[in-house]
Amino acid sequence: MTEIIIVAGFLGAGKTTFIEQLIDAAPENRLLSLIENDFGEVNTDAVLMRNKNIRITELTSGCICCSLTGDFAAAVEDLRRTYAPDLILIEPSGIAKPEQIKIMLRQLSFPCETHIVTVLDAGNAVKHYENFGTLFDAQIEHADIVHISKRDRWPERVAAAIKTVQSVVPERQIHTDDVPSLARMLCPSIYADAHANLKMNGADETDAHHLHVTHEACNHEAHAHRHHHDGHGDDCHCGHDAHHHEHSHDSHCGHDAHHHEHDAHHHTPVDGNFDTLTLYVDMPLARTAVDALLKCLTAQPGVLRIKGFLPTDSGSIAVQYTDGDLRLTPCREDVGFLTVIGHQMDVTKIRESWKHYA
C-alpha cells in the first residue's frame, strides 16, 4: 500500500523544511515522490529541492482543492503508475483545505494510507489564529497531528502555540520532537530504520523534546482574540488555468528583459483575499539596492510572505520573509525572481518599488 503524507500549514510555517527532513530521513532503498502546489508563476520550493533525490511534480497557478482538482488527481495517478513510490508527499499551498485533498485521494484507483500533518510556526501561531479564523481552524481540525516548527527560534512562544491548537481541538495530538521521530510514528514501515539523530536545519535546529501541556499551563499570549472580516465565503476559488508539469532537477528559468512582473492568480480562500505577484530580474543588483528593496517590500501593509532568489553583485541570495522575519541566505541558483503573497496588499506600490530598485 502506498503511503501519502499531506503536509499542510499556513504561509511560511516551515513546510518545505519539514519535507526536506522527511526526505533526508528516508532510507536509501525507499522511493519518495513529491507533489508541490505553490503560489506564483515559479515554484520556489521546487527550485530549492531540485538537488534532492526525489521526483517532483509541480502544480502552479491554482489550488489543488478547487481549480486544480483534476490535475491533482491525474498527477497522483501518474506518479503511482510511472514510479510506484513507497511514499508520496503532498505540499499544498498555505491556504489550501487539507480535508478536501484527503477526500479527493479516496477516489484514487489504488489503495493508499493518508496522513495529514499540519506544520504550525511557533512564532506566528497566535497571530494566525487571530487573523485567519476558519482557515486556521480547518488546518488544525483535519490534521492527524500538528507539528510545532521553529521552536529553536521562538522557544518562549511554544507553549502559547500549543495552547492555541488546544483551543481549536483540545484532543489534537501535538508533536514537538524532531521530524524523523514523527516520520517513524506515521509510517513505520518506511522509516523504521531512519536515523533519529539526523542533523536538523531550518524549522528544527535543536534537539527538542515532547512537551506535555495541561490546560492549567496557560500562557497569556494564547488567549487570542479573533479579527473577523466581512464578505468571505466558504469556498476557495481560483479563476485561472492550471499549469501542471514535471521536471528534472537541472531546469533553469531565463527572461529577456532586465525586469518585469506578472500577476499570478488571485486566490480567495475561506478567509480573505490572498493575492500573489511574481517579479523577475535578470541582471545582478547592487547589494545596497537589494537591501533597500526588501526593506520597502516588507514594510508594505498586507504583505505576508516573500520568497525567491535574487542575483546580486556579491552572489545570489535566497530570500525568505514571513511576518516580520526576513532571512537572506547565499545560494548558487541562477534564477532571479520574487513571489510576493499578501492579504489586501497594494500591488501598485509593490510594482513601483520593484521598478525603482530593480
Side-chain angles (χ1 to χ4, degrees):
M1 180 177 293
T2 304
E3 299 272 5
I4 297 178
I5 299 178
I6 302 168
V7 182
F10 200 70
L11 303 170
K15 298 187 297 295
T16 300
T17 299
F18 180 87
I19 287 173
E20 287 179 320
Q21 293 174 11
L22 286 177
I23 296 169
D24 291 341
E28 292 182 359
N29 64 339
R30 295 295 187 177
L31 179 61
L32 278 64
S33 292
L34 170 65
I35 296 177
E36 280 274 0
N37 180 210
D38 201 6
F39 281 99
E41 298 172 340
V42 185
N43 192 324
T44 305
D45 298 334
V47 173
L48 288 170
M49 291 209 205
R50 69 186 184 185
N51 294 320
K52 297 288 183 181
N53 184 25
I54 188 169
R55 185 69 185 185
I56 301 175
T57 297
E58 296 179 48
L59 296 171
T60 60
S61 296
C63 175
I64 58 179
C65 67
C66 51
S67 64
L68 296 187
T69 299
D71 287 59
F72 170 66
V76 178
E77 294 281 3
D78 288 347
L79 278 176
R80 171 64 159 64
R81 181 171 52 254
T82 305
Y83 302 104
D86 299 293
L87 173 63
I88 297 175
L89 302 170
I90 299 172
E91 182 180 5
S93 69
I95 58 175
K97 296 179 179 179
E99 74 278 12
Q100 292 184 355
I101 301 170
K102 192 169 186 177
I103 290 171
M104 285 187 284
L105 292 173
R106 293 174 186 160
Q107 312 303 316
L108 296 175
S109 63
F110 60 89
C112 59
E113 182 72 21
T114 303
H115 317 274
I116 298 177
V117 178
T118 291
V119 180
L120 184 63
D121 172 3
N124 291 299
V126 173
K127 182 189 295 185
H128 291 165
Y129 170 84
E130 292 173 344
N131 291 316
F132 298 105
T134 55
L135 174 60
F136 181 93
D137 290 355
Q139 297 199 351
I140 302 300
E141 290 170 353
H142 298 282
D144 296 306
I145 190 166
V146 175
H147 175 75
I148 307 297
S149 66
K150 304 183 184 180
R151 303 180 306 277
D152 60 308
R153 201 177 307 170
W154 306 104
E156 74 282 3
R157 299 187 186 181
V158 172
I162 293 173
K163 192 68 177 180
T164 301
V165 173
Q166 293 173 332
S167 73
V168 179
V169 182
E171 69 277 10
R172 178 61 64 239
Q173 188 173 6
I174 301 170
H175 185 264
T176 58
D177 206 340
D178 59 66
V179 173
S181 70
L182 177 55
R184 291 193 299 274
M185 181 170 58
L186 289 177
C187 305
S189 63
I190 294 176
Y191 286 94
D193 299 327
H195 297 292
N197 295 322
L198 184 71
K199 181 180 179 181
M200 296 288 100
N201 63 75
D204 294 291
E205 285 130 350
T206 58
D207 292 326
H209 59 281
H210 285 283
L211 299 179
H212 303 281
V213 179
T214 65
H215 289 286
E216 289 74 28
C218 181
N219 185 300
H220 73 279
E221 288 185 274
H223 293 289
H225 300 281
R226 285 201 153 143
H227 300 264
H228 298 285
H229 306 283
D230 295 327
H232 304 318
D234 293 328
D235 299 309
C236 102
H237 307 283
C238 300
H240 294 255
D241 294 332
H243 299 285
H244 165 206
H245 60 280
E246 293 186 1
H247 66 87
S248 60
H249 305 307
D250 57 357
S251 59
H252 301 289
C253 175
H255 305 281
D256 295 331
H258 175 66
H259 67 76
H260 55 282
E261 67 272 352
H262 299 285
D263 278 318
H265 69 284
H266 290 77
H267 193 120
T268 307
V270 65
D271 277 271
N273 297 316
F274 287 81
D275 300 323
T276 69
L277 184 66
T278 303
L279 306 159
Y280 297 92
V281 63
D282 298 314
M283 302 295 291
L285 305 176
R287 184 55 190 263
T288 54
V290 169
D291 293 340
L293 170 65
L294 293 174
K295 182 178 180 180
C296 185
L297 293 181
T298 56
Q300 292 293 327
V303 172
L304 298 173
R305 185 87 164 100
I306 301 173
K307 56 183 177 178
F309 307 93
L310 290 177
T312 79
D313 53 11
S314 57
S316 294
I317 56 173
V319 179
Q320 293 282 348
Y321 169 80
T322 306
D323 281 352
D325 183 20
L326 175 63
R327 293 187 171 239
L328 306 178
T329 308
C331 68
R332 296 182 179 179
E333 305 300 337
D334 58 358
V335 293
F337 70 91
L338 290 181
T339 295
V340 184
I341 307 166
H343 173 68
Q344 298 179 348
M345 63 185 183
D346 191 330
V347 173
T348 299
K349 286 187 177 180
I350 292 172
R351 285 197 181 107
E352 290 174 352
S353 298
W354 180 260
K355 290 177 180 178
H356 179 75
Y357 291 107

